[in-house]
């Protein structure tokens, strides 16, 4: 297997005596390199930056990732040109905050060190990511969105969110905080909090409608808020879900952010109906050409009261999405992630605080953004206490699952018996009406069971025959295409930087 055990990957690492002083010295070196690379980009200097990441890495997994980056840069993989765009096209403030908040603080330095201290004290590792629904309010009412399911009279106060973010950052080392809603930009205090937590990366999922010229100036000044525009495909599919004119509106907002040098991306909800369109090479290239630096693929999950299970991408479409994401990530200067298909990179499901946790608008601590069940609310406990609950602990400890197939990581649709077992054992409450329908409604359960069986039949074969890859080629490997994945031999059609607009 090409995936290491999490106990090995999370093994603590230190630079030895005077660790903190050495971290500070390397921080100064990173600042100097970023300034140099923005005006005098070179592959060699970028490799030097990755070597610094390797030195400051606080775990074996961090070291491995930094070494793989060095190989990608040396072999002139399109990931090299993704970094080039970040370093040379972004506003200096946005460039530095993305690299230092997301990579240095979020993965290599502060996060990994505090995670190990936390583990020694509490007996489990905290998540690396805190997903926060900063508000329920939204000016849209999109089909299939679960945000409107919540009946929240009032969002958590700004002071309470400050308290939550402080515990996450200072106690757990979390610097990566995706923000969802509702519509995050509908809440003025969100940007005020982002300014207070200037060493954190706020990856913000938005419909885009409230981003004005004034907002763009504010985002440029802050540097640490990175919008991710929600799309359902091209014009027809996006407008059908979000309303007439939404696709063109998002395209215009992307142009605004690209011109201002702000890091942004796209969030794609993939269904059985739009799968062909959103996995096409033309769609992926369109996003890259518009300036999207990060594209997220989320499969439709049958959440909420009486969900439509037929919208979940079927087993063959799961393969199609996975291959399309592999291909985009390895041929375009754009980071592309499949929330399900990239299970091998994340060593399985990331829920329950294992890699991330979700806090909803009223403070309920949910194991996953698609599992609207909880046993704790942050009005009555700390985030640490909520993560230590039997419910969350069982979810973390059950991953990876016994058969080891990381291509089927989801306990909702891939392993429905797992989540049903937790629901029966720990009796979590629904955080909104109908949240447990996919666990209790016989008709929906039968549909999910059929889906799970179909997926198992196909993806178990893929897992056994190694028809998958980790997030990038390993050292000494080259990406070939969406059918063969990687090879030890450099392919004749390897990216030169011109075929995909990298240069």
């Amino acid at each position: 297997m090409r995936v290491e055990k999490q106990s090995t990957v999370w093994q603590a690492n230190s630079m030895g005596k005077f660790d903190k002083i050495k971290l500070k010295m390397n921080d100064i070196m990173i600042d100097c390199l970023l300034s140099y690379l923005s005006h005098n980009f070179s592959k060699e200097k970028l490799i030097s930056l990755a070597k610094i990441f390797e030195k400051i890495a606080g775990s074996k997994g961090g070291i491995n990732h930094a070494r793989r980056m060095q190989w990608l840069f040396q072999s002139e993989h399109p990931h090299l040109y993704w970094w080039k765009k970040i370093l040379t096209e972004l506003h200096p403030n946005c460039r530095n905050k993305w690299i230092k908040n997301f990579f240095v603080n979020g993965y290599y330095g502060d996060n990994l060190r505090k995670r190990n201290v936390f583990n020694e004290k509490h007996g489990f590792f905290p998540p690396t990511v805190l997903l926060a629904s900063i508000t329920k309010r939204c000016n849209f009412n999109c089909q299939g969105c679960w945000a409107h399911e919540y009946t929240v009279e009032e969002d958590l106060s700004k002071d309470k969110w400050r308290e939550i973010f402080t515990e996450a950052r200072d106690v757990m080392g979390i610097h990566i905080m995706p923000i969802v809603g509702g519509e995050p930009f509908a809440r003025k205090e969100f940007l005020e909090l982002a300014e207070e937590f200037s060493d954190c990366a706020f990856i913000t999922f938005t419909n885009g409608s409230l981003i004005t010229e004034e907002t763009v100036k504010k985002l440029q000044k802050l540097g640490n808020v990175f919008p991710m525009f929600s799309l359902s495909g091209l014009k027809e599919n996006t407008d059908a879900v979000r309303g007439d004119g939404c696709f063109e509106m998002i395209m215009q907002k992307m142009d605004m952010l690209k011109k201002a040098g702000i890091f942004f991306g796209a969030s794609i909800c993939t269904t059985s109906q739009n799968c062909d369109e959103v996995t096409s090479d033309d769609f992926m290239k369109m996003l890259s050409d518009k300036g999207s630096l990060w594209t997220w693929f989320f499969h439709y999950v049958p959440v909420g009261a009486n969900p439509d299970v037929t919208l979940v991408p079927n087993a063959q479409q799961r393969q199609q999405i996975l291959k399309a994401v592999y291909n985009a990530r390895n041929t375009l200067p754009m980071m592309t992630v499949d929330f399900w298909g990239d299970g091998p990179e994340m060593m399985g499901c990331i829920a329950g605080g294992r890699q991330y946790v979700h806090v909803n608008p009223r403070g309920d601590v949910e194991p996953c953004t698609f599992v609207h069940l909880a046993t704790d609310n942050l009005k009555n406990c700390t985030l640490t206490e909520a993560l230590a609950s039997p419910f969350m602990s069982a979810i973390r400890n059950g991953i990876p699952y016994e058969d080891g197939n990381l291509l089927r990581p989801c306990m909702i649709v891939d392993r429905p018996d797992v989540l049903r077992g937790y629901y029966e054992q720990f009796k979590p409450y629904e955080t909104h009406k109908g949240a447990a329908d996919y666990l209790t409604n016989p008709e929906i359960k039968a549909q999910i069971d059929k889906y799970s069986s179909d997926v198992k039949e196909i993806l178990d074969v893929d897992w056994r025959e190694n028809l998958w890859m980790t997030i990038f080629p390993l050292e000494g490997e080259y990406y070939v295409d969406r059918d063969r994945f990687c090879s030890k031999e450099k392919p004749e059609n390897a990216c030169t930087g011109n075929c995909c607009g990298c240069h």
Side-chain angles (χ1 to χ4, degrees):
M1 184 186 295
R2 293 171 287 175
V3 180
E4 293 190 71
K5 294 180 179 179
Q6 66 184 46
S7 58
T8 302
V9 172
W10 292 349
Q11 182 180 330
N13 178 64
S14 169
M15 290 189 288
K17 197 173 182 181
F18 307 118
D19 184 86
K20 290 184 179 180
I21 296 175
K22 292 177 182 178
L23 276 175
K24 183 63 179 176
M25 292 173 62
N26 279 289
D27 191 55
I28 295 171
M29 290 178 62
I30 289 171
D31 284 335
C32 293
L33 262 178
L34 292 182
S35 178
Y36 174 87
L37 284 165
S38 64
H39 298 97
N40 305 279
F41 180 84
S42 74
K43 179 176 72 174
E44 291 71 26
K45 290 298 181 184
L46 189 55
I47 292 171
S48 297
L49 180 63
K51 287 181 178 178
I52 295 177
F53 289 167
E54 180 184 345
K55 288 181 180 179
I56 67 175
S59 74
K60 183 178 179 181
I63 293 172
N64 291 344
H65 186 271
R67 288 176 178 170
R68 182 159 52 167
M69 286 177 66
Q70 293 168 47
W71 164 249
L72 295 175
F73 299 156
Q74 289 167 358
S75 62
E76 298 198 5
H77 183 278
H79 196 56
L80 167 72
Y81 302 103
W82 182 71
W83 275 86
K84 182 179 180 180
K85 292 181 74 171
I86 289 170
L87 289 161
T88 62
E89 297 181 13
L90 294 185
H91 184 275
N93 198 33
C94 301
R95 173 198 70 211
N96 289 1
K97 290 288 182 69
W98 171 256
I99 294 172
K100 297 192 72 172
N101 292 6
F102 186 86
F103 284 97
V104 179
N105 297 336
Y107 275 112
Y108 291 110
D110 190 56
N111 173 264
L112 294 175
R113 282 160 175 77
K114 285 181 178 171
R115 277 170 60 80
N116 281 294
V117 171
F118 185 96
N119 179 51
E120 290 174 3
K121 182 176 180 180
H122 299 285
F124 65 93
F125 285 95
T128 56
V129 173
L130 172 66
L131 183 67
S133 285
I134 200 78
T135 182
K136 174 192 174 291
R137 291 173 305 209
C138 185
N139 57 329
F140 280 24
N141 188 23
C142 303
Q143 296 178 27
C145 178
W146 44 256
H148 65 271
E149 302 273 4
Y150 291 104
T151 53
V152 182
E153 293 181 3
E154 186 176 349
D155 296 326
L156 286 180
S157 69
K158 177 184 176 182
D159 288 343
K160 189 61 183 179
W161 279 116
R162 180 188 294 114
E163 180 184 318
I164 295 167
F165 291 163
T166 299
E167 181 185 1
R169 180 190 63 184
D170 296 351
V171 177
M172 303 177 189
I174 298 175
H175 289 262
I176 301 172
M177 300 184 184
I179 303 297
V180 292
E183 168 53 45
F185 289 105
R187 184 165 187 178
K188 177 185 176 183
E189 292 133 320
F190 161 51
L191 294 183
E192 294 172 356
L193 284 164
E195 186 171 15
E196 289 184 40
F197 291 83
S198 61
D199 58 349
C200 295
F202 293 94
I203 300 169
T204 307
F205 294 83
T206 175
N207 61 43
S209 64
L210 301 181
I211 296 179
T212 63
E213 291 289 355
E214 183 180 352
T215 308
V216 171
K217 292 178 182 177
K218 181 69 172 177
L219 297 181
Q220 193 181 69
K221 181 180 178 182
L222 289 173
N224 65 333
V225 176
F226 312 108
M228 300 288 147
F229 294 97
S230 297
L231 286 167
S232 299
L234 296 172
K235 179 177 173 57
E236 183 177 349
N237 277 319
T238 293
D239 287 2
V241 172
R242 306 181 185 282
D244 291 343
C246 280
F247 179 78
E248 289 302 327
M249 178 271 293
I250 291 172
M251 296 298 102
Q252 292 170 12
K253 299 302 172 75
M254 286 184 170
D255 290 341
M256 289 168 58
L257 294 188
K258 184 177 181 180
K259 182 179 179 181
I262 295 169
F263 186 108
F264 71 89
S267 172
I268 314 300
C269 179
T270 313
T271 70
S272 58
Q273 296 178 357
N274 71 359
C275 185
D276 287 347
E277 180 170 278
V278 299
T279 58
S280 68
D281 289 344
D282 288 344
F283 182 75
M284 295 288 202
K285 190 172 187 306
M286 179 277 293
L287 290 175
S288 180
D289 290 346
K290 289 298 290 186
S292 174
L293 289 169
W294 196 304
T295 297
W296 303 79
F297 271 75
F298 296 92
H299 302 188
Y300 172 83
V301 179
V303 180
N306 298 311
D308 185 354
V309 181
T310 66
L311 289 175
V312 182
N314 63 37
Q316 290 80 11
Q317 289 173 326
R318 287 273 290 267
Q319 288 180 309
Q320 182 178 335
I321 296 165
L322 177 144
K323 290 182 177 182
V325 167
Y326 286 175
N327 198 62
R329 193 162 58 213
N330 289 284
T331 60
L332 296 171
M334 176 175 70
M335 187 66 182
T336 311
V337 175
D338 177 357
F339 202 64
W340 281 257
D342 282 322
E345 182 70 21
M346 305 309 295
M347 299 170 289
C349 178
I350 63 176
R354 181 175 169 274
Q355 294 277 9
Y356 95 131
V357 68
H358 178 225
V359 179
N360 73 20
R362 68 180 188 186
D364 298 308
V365 182
E366 300 173 342
C368 170
T369 187
F370 301 111
V371 179
H372 300 166
L373 307 169
T375 57
D376 294 278
N377 185 287
L378 296 185
K379 294 174 185 175
N380 307 310
C381 68
T382 66
L383 184 58
T384 299
E385 290 168 341
L387 288 169
S389 71
F391 179 47
M392 292 290 191
S393 298
I395 292 173
R396 288 194 301 273
N397 294 336
I399 303 164
Y401 304 114
E402 289 185 3
D403 66 6
N405 187 348
L406 305 182
L407 292 175
R408 298 193 294 114
C410 182
M411 62 180 173
I412 304 171
V413 294
D414 292 337
R415 319 275 180 159
D417 286 342
V418 172
L419 183 56
R420 291 169 193 166
Y422 296 146
Y423 183 68
E424 290 298 320
Q425 181 178 358
F426 300 106
K427 303 294 190 295
Y429 59 84
E430 294 181 303
T431 56
H432 62 74
K433 185 178 180 180
D437 277 10
Y438 58 33
L439 301 173
T440 59
N441 185 305
E443 183 178 347
I444 297 172
K445 287 172 64 178
Q447 289 176 303
I448 291 177
D449 286 342
K450 174 65 167 60
Y451 173 87
S452 174
S453 176
D454 292 344
V455 168
K456 175 177 171 59
E457 183 177 348
I458 288 180
L459 296 188
D460 276 5
V461 173
D462 288 355
W463 181 254
R464 287 194 302 269
E465 297 184 1
N466 279 327
L467 299 176
W468 53 273
M469 62 182 290
T470 48
I471 199 161
F472 286 119
L474 301 178
E475 186 173 354
E477 293 183 346
Y478 300 88
Y479 179 76
V480 181
D481 57 38
R482 69 180 70 207
D483 294 315
R484 291 171 289 176
F485 302 152
C486 294
S487 170
K488 294 289 185 181
E489 299 295 325
K490 189 173 183 177
E492 293 182 4
N493 63 342
C495 177
T496 60
N498 296 315
C499 56
C500 58
C502 290
H503 289 340

